[in-house]
Every structure is written in C-alpha cells, then in structure tokens.
C-alpha cells in the first residue's frame, strides 16, 4: 500500500511514538487523575477523548500540509525546517526542565459523567498548543515531499500513532495507582525517559536540517 512508509521510516516513527506516549504530559495527567479519582471507566473515557483530539489533529495537519505541498514544495520545506528547529528546542527544554506529572487526586465535588470526561479529554488535547505544534512539525519529518501519496502517509502516521499508543495508555489506566506511584518514586527513571526522548527528537531535527542543506 503506497500510503504506508517504508519499514525503516516506520520503525523510527514507532520508536519515537512509544517514547512520546510514555513521556508525561497534560493528556496523561488527565486520564490518570480521572482513573484515580473516579475509577478506570472515567480514565478510559478521558483517554478516548484525548485520542479523538489526536485524530482531529491528524486530519487537520495532513490536509493542511498536503495542500501546502501542492502549492509550493519550497514552502513545505520551510515548514519542515521550522519543525526541525522546534523539535530541537523541545529536546533542549526536556533536558533543562524534565518531565512533570501533577495529578489531581482530590475527592471533593461531584464526579463527572463519562461523557464529560470524554469531552474534557478532547478539549485539553485540542487546546494544547504543544500538541498542535508537534503534529504540524513532527509528522512531516517522516514523509517525502516528492511522494504523490504524501497526504495518505500523513493520515496513516497520525492514526498509527493513536493505535500505537493504545496498549501503553490502557495499561497506565488499568494500573493507575501503581504507575503514578512508580513515576514519582523513581526520578532517575524519569530522567532516563527525558534524555531518551530528547535524543530521539533531537536526532530527527538534525536529520531533516542536514538533509535540507545538501
């Protein structure tokens, strides 16, 4: 199938996707907090909302970037270069500040419905500017601007990321108490994850920058 990247590209994307999934962020904080406060069903509902947001980000990025490519290959290259700079900045910030996971475990107030948890997941995901920038800058690193099926590849990679993250996020929610405690108990593990994430993201940034300069 022409919209599926070659095995080497897919393997690189898979590794980056797994590290990204395991790196704490607003989405992880939301569905772990809901799981700890209201039970696994609420956690899964919030996760489903976040994944819905990722699908929307995927479609917007794929159609927007492919339209940009159709209009100007040079403009698409500029976006990729800006993306490389952003990814490099993100890698440096990760090393400087590290990951943080703040969980709201207060039991006061009325529990939100599953539909509300799902809607909150969508809202947090769609309104997170880092996710918007990440999708716009990260996905283009794995497609060839000269490939006629670039839109299909962008959609495939975005949806593949959602599917790839499911086993890990489901496991996090199923073991929310133990998982959150393990992260807080092991700052060394968190730093290893930070350095791994920064190394992979920085590597992609340098790869696209050097490729564009040839």
């Amino acid at each position: 199938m022409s919209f599926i990247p070659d095995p080497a590209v897919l393997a690189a994307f898979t590794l980056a996707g797994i590290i990204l999934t395991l790196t704490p962020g607003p989405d992880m904080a939301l569905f772990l907090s809901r799981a700890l406060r209201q039970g696994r069903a609420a956690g899964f509902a919030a996760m489903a909302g976040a994944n819905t947001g990722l699908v929307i980000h995927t479609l917007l990025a794929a159609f927007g970037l492919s339209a940009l490519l159709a209009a100007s290959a040079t403009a698409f290259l500029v976006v990729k270069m800006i993306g490389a700079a952003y990814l490099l900045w993100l890698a440096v910030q990760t090393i400087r500040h590290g990951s943080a996971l703040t969980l709201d475990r207060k039991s006061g107030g009325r529990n939100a419905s599953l539909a509300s948890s799902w809607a909150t997941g969508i809202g947090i995901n769609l309104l997170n500017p880092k996710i918007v920038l990440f999708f716009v800058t990260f996905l283009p690193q794995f497609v060839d601007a000269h490939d006629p099926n670039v839109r299909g590849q962008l959609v495939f990679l975005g949806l593949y990321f959602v599917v790839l993250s499911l086993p890990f996020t489901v496991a996090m929610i199923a073991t929310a108490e133990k998982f959150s405690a393990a992260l807080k108990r092991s700052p060394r593990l968190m730093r290893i994850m930070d350095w791994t994430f920064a190394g992979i993201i920085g590597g992609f940034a340098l790869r696209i920058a050097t490729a564009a300069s040839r």
Side-chain angles (χ1 to χ4, degrees):
M1 290 178 280
S2 58
F3 59 84
I4 299 179
D6 65 63
V9 172
L10 191 59
F13 184 84
T14 299
L15 178 60
I18 291 173
I19 297 299
L20 177 61
T21 298
L22 295 176
T23 302
D27 288 354
M28 182 188 292
L30 173 66
F31 56 67
L32 284 179
S33 293
R34 289 296 168 97
L36 291 170
R37 290 177 53 199
Q38 299 176 220
R40 293 175 182 172
F44 286 128
M47 181 196 73
N51 285 339
T52 302
L54 290 177
V55 171
I56 295 173
H57 279 305
T58 294
L59 296 176
L60 291 176
F63 282 85
L65 290 170
S66 59
L68 177 64
L69 175 59
S72 170
T74 301
F76 186 77
L77 178 61
V78 170
V79 169
K80 292 184 75 171
M81 291 299 294
I82 293 173
Y86 170 71
L87 293 177
L88 191 58
W89 176 85
L90 188 61
V92 172
Q93 291 298 104
T94 300
I95 295 301
R96 288 184 60 193
H97 303 294
S99 301
L101 183 67
T102 303
L103 301 179
D104 178 12
R105 301 183 58 157
K106 296 178 181 179
S107 57
R110 188 170 62 181
N111 285 348
S113 66
L114 296 183
S116 177
S117 292
W118 175 76
T120 301
I122 294 178
I124 285 183
N125 188 277
L126 289 180
L127 297 177
N128 186 343
K130 287 187 177 181
I131 295 179
V132 176
L133 286 171
F134 197 83
F135 262 75
V136 171
T137 59
F138 185 63
L139 291 183
Q141 314 304 320
F142 297 90
V143 299
D144 182 357
H146 302 292
D147 193 313
N149 298 298
V150 64
R151 178 180 295 178
Q153 288 189 11
L154 288 167
V155 171
F156 172 82
L157 287 172
L159 298 182
Y160 175 71
F161 173 74
V162 174
V163 174
L164 177 68
S165 68
L166 281 176
F168 299 96
T169 51
V170 167
M172 289 176 196
I173 295 171
T175 60
E177 189 78 34
K178 294 181 179 179
F179 180 79
S180 59
L183 288 181
K184 292 182 177 180
R185 190 170 56 244
S186 182
R188 183 178 179 183
L189 174 62
M190 290 299 300
R191 288 308 288 164
I192 291 174
M193 290 173 60
D194 289 338
W195 277 95
T196 303
F197 175 78
I200 291 175
I201 297 303
F204 288 136
L206 293 175
R207 185 188 70 173
I208 188 61
T210 55
S213 64
R214 292 171 187 168

